[in-house]
Amino acid sequence: MNVFQLLMKKKELIPLALIMTFAANGVSCFAVHSLKKTDLSFTFSVDRKGNPEPWEAVDPTVPQKLMTINQQWRAIEELQKAKRASK
């Protein structure tokens, strides 16, 4: 039996079908959006042709935000000494 024939035969299923269609559409749109966003450089991205290895484009002098909860970034003293010595 066709889906539309079933919905016309049992009219109480029409709101359920509309809600499920709307929810499935929202989930698929969110999934595509999550795959394409580039908030962090280490997130999975669909763009494999443009930059297949995104970790090589990370600037080591800029602190990367992975997860911060009420923390302040400050430079590591030993690392700063090593940078000054290598210049």
Side-chain angles (χ1 to χ4, degrees):
M1 184 178 277
N2 193 359
V3 174
F4 296 112
Q5 290 175 349
L6 180 67
L7 288 177
M8 289 302 143
K9 189 173 184 180
K10 299 183 183 258
K11 298 208 183 274
E12 63 270 9
L13 293 179
I14 292 174
L16 179 65
L18 290 175
I19 290 171
M20 293 301 293
T21 303
F22 182 73
N25 188 20
V27 166
S28 61
C29 288
F30 180 73
V32 169
H33 171 72
S34 295
L35 288 174
K36 290 189 176 212
K37 72 176 182 177
T38 56
D39 288 346
L40 300 175
S41 5
F42 296 108
T43 57
F44 175 75
S45 179
V46 179
D47 184 22
R48 294 185 184 196
K49 292 180 182 177
N51 191 5
E53 298 173 346
W55 56 86
E56 290 184 356
V58 176
D59 186 10
T61 60
V62 177
Q64 298 295 320
K65 180 179 178 181
L66 298 177
M67 186 172 126
T68 305
I69 301 173
N70 299 327
Q71 294 178 354
Q72 296 291 326
W73 183 84
R74 61 185 172 102
I76 301 171
E77 190 174 330
E78 293 85 15
L79 182 61
Q80 295 300 322
K81 287 179 184 177
K83 284 182 183 179
R84 281 188 228 122
S86 65
K87 286 184 180 179

